[in-house]
Amino acid sequence: MKTSRFISSGMFLSLFVFTITNRKRGECFSFSAPFYTLAEAEGDDCVADVFSREQHFDILVLPEINLILAASVIEPLRAANRIAGRELYRWTLFSPEGQPINTKAGIPIPVSRAFRPGRESDPLFVLASYNWKRHATRELKFQLSQTARHRTLIAGIEAGSFILAETSLLDGFSATTHWEDFEDFSTAYPQVNMIRERFVIDGKRITTGGSLPTLDLMLELIRRAHGYSLALEVSRLFIYEQERIRGDLLQVPAIGNMRIVDTRVQTAVKLMEETVEAPLSLARLAKRAGISARHLQDLFRDIMGVAPREHYLALRLNAARRKVIETRATFADIAAATGFNSASAFSRSYRAHYRESPSDTRRRLKAT
């Protein structure tokens, strides 16, 4: 089993380490594009075994679901498309009978059609919240059992994990579920290796423990498919941790499962956000944080999952991309405003990360 940690700090998030197993039984799951950070690929051949830059998800929504649970799956994908300026993700919503799903909030969710799977191979997300037993009919369980033979992966979102377990689709896998139901699940399905985590990825199976853990999961999938920078920018749209440090209100974006509890890392992250146009050296960041550069480097990798320079560069490139898309500023001005020595250095870094030049981005968006 491979255990990994991604970055932290989020609204209502506690310190967690999520568990990822992606080589068990020689199986892989894949999400759209090569998994790379700003610096280089992270060497996970299984995750990098992908086939296209776009990804389609089938989403099966069961009645009596929480509205926020559906939003936790869909909204990060929508945000990723908007930020990228292209359709990285598509999705189709299904219900058992093709009727709109009534949520517990009384707001219906429209769907495309009834869930009648054939030999589709797209990832399937099964979303359920309340009274899942009432909706897990014999026909639905048969359909899930049949479609599982062809799917690249199946995810049980919140109570969806119960439905997968009822269909024997979690037998021999590691999984999690909502903390309130954890003991009941463990007792009912001893053949499933239960782990107290926010979400668990094990081969072709994914399970989550609720709405916010599902948001964590989607950010992690975006990171794997399209890199740290995009996941960071998506997270900034949704989650901010507000804490007082020396009287200042610190807003720290979040991705993943861990809260930044180390004030030295908090200080470094805040400094990075305040100095996008004039980046500080690692030595100066570390001095302001009250530790050595080596110690800050190690803390960043342990807590954030990336090196300080990768996080810093992600902040700067995201700021630059917003200016490319939302303003008519020259590339020289954008380069100066985001800490690059020249327009050519900015363009090289931009192209290396986004796989297109700044002028390509503007031309493409102008044509749409």
Side-chain angles (χ1 to χ4, degrees):
M1 179 173 293
K2 178 182 177 182
T3 301
S4 174
R5 286 179 290 182
F6 193 40
I7 93 174
S8 69
S9 149
M11 183 173 58
F12 308 126
L13 302 186
S14 301
L15 181 61
F16 283 93
V17 177
F18 65 79
T19 301
I20 301 171
T21 304
N22 54 20
R23 291 196 175 90
K24 192 173 183 179
R25 307 169 198 82
E27 298 168 342
C28 291
F29 55 89
S30 40
F31 305 99
S32 68
F35 169 33
Y36 56 89
T37 65
L38 292 176
E40 59 184 355
E42 292 201 0
D44 194 326
D45 296 334
C46 196
V47 176
D49 181 20
V50 293
F51 48 84
S52 72
R53 291 194 65 83
E54 291 80 34
Q55 180 66 64
H56 179 268
F57 293 95
D58 284 341
I59 303 174
L60 172 59
V61 186
L62 270 65
E64 300 186 75
I65 195 175
N66 287 324
L67 185 62
I68 192 173
L69 189 64
S72 293
V73 173
I74 296 170
E75 283 299 302
L77 304 180
R78 178 203 58 77
N81 288 347
R82 184 178 74 82
I83 292 168
R86 58 162 57 112
E87 193 176 65
L88 301 177
Y89 296 101
R90 295 177 296 111
W91 53 89
T92 302
L93 293 176
F94 300 89
S95 67
E97 302 301 330
Q99 299 299 314
I101 292 297
N102 288 320
T103 66
K104 297 299 285 186
I107 301 173
I109 298 176
V111 300
S112 295
R113 55 187 179 273
F115 183 64
R116 301 291 184 265
R119 300 178 65 87
E120 295 89 347
S121 60
D122 290 333
L124 172 65
F125 281 53
V126 181
L127 281 61
S129 297
Y130 294 96
N131 298 315
W132 65 267
K133 287 185 179 180
R134 178 187 306 167
H135 310 297
T137 62
R138 179 179 300 180
E139 179 184 8
L140 180 63
K141 288 189 285 186
F142 175 78
Q143 291 169 343
L144 289 173
S145 179
Q146 293 299 304
T147 196
R149 302 176 182 180
H150 311 291
R151 300 284 180 172
T152 53
L153 69 83
I154 296 183
I157 305 301
E158 199 175 272
S161 58
F162 278 92
I163 296 174
L164 297 192
E166 277 288 303
T167 317
S168 299
L169 294 179
L170 291 180
D171 289 5
F173 286 90
S174 295
T176 192
T177 193
H178 194 282
W179 63 270
E180 291 181 327
D181 303 317
F182 193 91
E183 295 300 335
D184 290 341
F185 192 111
S186 299
T187 300
Y189 308 105
Q191 70 274 25
V192 181
N193 176 34
M194 293 300 290
I195 301 176
R196 292 186 182 275
E197 304 293 352
R198 298 180 70 78
F199 63 83
V200 174
I201 302 173
D202 186 354
K204 291 186 175 182
R205 300 291 181 266
I206 296 177
T207 48
T208 72
S211 300
L212 288 178
T214 298
L215 178 57
D216 296 342
L217 168 70
M218 302 312 293
L219 292 169
E220 172 62 10
L221 299 189
I222 292 169
R223 182 186 78 112
R224 291 183 175 213
H226 297 287
Y228 179 87
S229 179
L230 180 60
L232 176 65
E233 193 68 358
V234 171
S235 78
R236 290 162 65 89
L237 296 179
F238 296 110
I239 307 174
Y240 279 88
E241 169 85 4
Q242 295 188 339
E243 291 192 5
R244 293 198 175 275
I245 295 183
R246 291 190 294 273
D248 296 326
L249 191 62
L250 174 63
Q251 292 186 314
V252 184
I255 317 171
N257 298 298
M258 294 186 298
R259 178 177 177 178
I260 302 180
V261 294
D262 193 298
T263 57
R264 297 164 295 185
V265 176
Q266 288 179 337
T267 298
V269 168
K270 183 171 184 285
L271 285 169
M272 289 178 182
E273 294 194 340
E274 291 174 347
T275 56
V276 164
E277 72 279 4
L280 301 176
S281 67
L282 178 63
R284 291 187 66 186
L285 284 170
K287 184 176 181 180
R288 297 278 293 274
I291 54 177
S292 69
R294 178 65 178 272
H295 194 186
L296 180 61
Q297 181 104 354
D298 291 342
L299 283 174
F300 237 87
R301 287 194 175 278
D302 287 344
I303 294 173
M304 306 290 279
V306 295
R309 62 183 174 82
E310 292 179 63
H311 184 78
Y312 218 166
L313 183 56
L315 290 173
R316 293 163 55 208
L317 282 171
N318 285 337
R321 186 174 177 84
R322 287 194 297 273
K323 293 179 183 297
V324 169
I325 293 172
E326 298 171 5
T327 75
R328 295 185 177 182
T330 67
F331 298 145
D333 287 343
I334 293 173
T338 51
F340 292 92
N341 294 329
S342 65
S344 59
F346 161 62
S347 293
R348 284 195 302 271
S349 185
Y350 188 101
R351 179 186 288 276
H353 184 61
Y354 295 117
R355 300 300 188 259
E356 63 181 3
S357 68
S359 56
D360 289 338
T361 298
R362 281 186 171 170
R363 277 196 298 270
R364 177 171 53 79
L365 295 177
K366 186 177 181 180
T368 58

